[in-house]
Amino acid sequence: MRRRASTLLGSLVAVAVLVAAGAPAPRWEADPGRGTEVFEGIETKPGNVEVIADPKGQHGDVYRLDTSGEPEGSERVRVETRGHLTPDGRPLRFTEGGTYYVGWRSMWGPLPTAEGEWVALWQLKDYGSGAATPPLSIRARGDQLDLEYADPGMKTTRLWQADLPLEQWNSFVVGIGVSSDPARGWVRFWVNGEEQELGGRPGQYPAATLRADFVTDKWGVYRSDGITGPATAYLADARVGTSYEDVAP
C-alpha cells in the first residue's frame, strides 16, 4: 500500500511540474510504473499483459500483450487493454461534445494475418445503449494496415491504408471530435509525426464517433476466427489529451 501511495504521489508531482513549466499535460498516460492499474480493464481470452524492458532498447519499460492464439470455447481470441484510469482511480471516458487526442507507439510481432480476415490492434469502442461495431479501429488485413470507420448504419469505410510494419516501433495519434452527429464529430490521424489524408481528404474527416453512452479505446490483439497462432503487441508512451501536442510520442 505504501509503494502504491508513493507511485501515485510521484505521478501527481510529475503532472504538477509539467503544468508549472508550461509543458503539455496529458489527461492520462500509461505509466509502466503503475503496471496495468492505468487501464480500466484487461481482457485476456486468452493472453497476458505485463510490463517488460523494450526488446529493441529504445523506449525503456513498455507493455507487452501476448496470446497463445488458442481460443477458449467459442470466444474469439483477444488480449486487450480497455479504457483509462487516472492516478486518482477515476475512469476517463469520452462523451458527447468532447475533443480528445490519443497518442502512442506500437510494435507488433509475431502477428499472424490472412487475406479476407482481420486483426484489430486499436479500437475506439462504444459502451452502453446502442453499442455495436467500433466507430474507429486500426486493423491488419493480410500485409496491410488500415484505419476503418463504421458509420451509425454499420457501413464500414477504410479511411487510410499502408503496408503493415512488423518488428519495429511506429507512432500514432488519433484526434477525435466526439459526437453522434456526423456533422459535428470528426477524426484526424497522424503516423510517425505526419498527418494522413483520410478518405482522400486532408485534415478532419467528418464522422459520427459516438453511438452509445460513451466511447473509450482499446489496445492489443483481437481477431477474426480464420487466424491462428501466437501474437504479440507492444505498447509505449500511450497518452490521452485535448491537443496533438499533449500526446504526440
Side-chain angles (χ1 to χ4, degrees):
M1 187 70 178
R2 182 176 300 172
R3 181 180 177 184
R4 184 174 179 183
S6 63
T7 301
L8 171 58
L9 179 59
S11 299
L12 294 174
V13 168
V15 171
V17 169
L18 285 171
V19 172
R27 296 279 304 277
W28 171 89
E29 58 184 323
D31 175 5
R34 292 174 58 209
T36 58
E37 291 183 5
V38 299
F39 304 110
E40 189 171 353
I42 299 292
E43 299 177 3
T44 53
K45 300 179 181 180
N48 184 53
V49 181
E50 61 182 340
V51 174
I52 66 164
D54 176 7
K56 295 290 187 180
Q58 298 174 3
H59 302 297
D61 287 344
V62 302
Y63 292 89
R64 178 174 66 186
L65 303 89
D66 65 282
T67 175
S68 66
E70 297 297 327
E72 295 180 341
S74 60
E75 295 195 34
R76 285 175 168 164
V77 170
R78 179 197 300 271
V79 53
E80 292 183 297
T81 66
R82 183 186 72 251
H84 325 91
L85 287 180
T86 58
D88 62 5
R90 291 181 298 177
L92 175 60
R93 295 170 174 175
F94 309 163
T95 54
E96 178 71 41
T99 297
Y100 298 92
Y101 288 76
V102 184
W104 73 95
R105 300 183 197 272
S106 277
M107 180 170 65
W108 305 292
L111 188 69
T113 61
E115 293 294 336
E117 303 287 345
W118 51 262
V119 183
L121 303 168
W122 174 85
Q123 301 181 67
L124 181 71
K125 185 75 171 66
D126 45 13
Y127 290 89
S129 57
T133 300
L136 294 171
S137 57
I138 295 176
R139 302 188 181 213
R141 306 174 206 260
D143 62 358
Q144 296 290 296
L145 184 70
D146 65 59
L147 176 65
E148 179 181 86
Y149 167 56
D151 70 14
M154 301 299 108
K155 176 186 175 182
T156 59
T157 302
R158 296 184 194 178
L159 301 180
W160 169 89
Q161 185 168 293
D163 292 339
L164 173 63
L166 296 177
E167 307 294 349
Q168 60 181 280
W169 287 104
N170 291 273
S171 67
F172 302 89
V173 175
V174 181
I176 308 158
V178 182
S179 182
S180 58
D181 181 352
R184 297 181 60 203
W186 51 265
V187 184
R188 297 177 70 182
F189 188 50
W190 290 259
V191 179
N192 293 327
E194 295 187 5
E195 187 163 14
Q196 308 295 301
E197 289 190 354
L198 299 180
R201 67 173 74 188
Q204 293 182 0
Y205 184 91
T209 53
L210 178 69
R211 291 189 296 268
D213 299 328
F214 67 92
V215 286
T216 189
D217 64 341
K218 308 176 79 173
W219 285 283
V221 175
Y222 172 52
R223 64 197 191 193
S224 56
D225 298 327
I227 304 174
T228 59
T232 302
Y234 298 89
L235 175 68
D237 300 326
R239 299 181 181 91
V240 176
T242 55
S243 71
Y244 176 84
E245 291 73 21
D246 284 352
V247 304

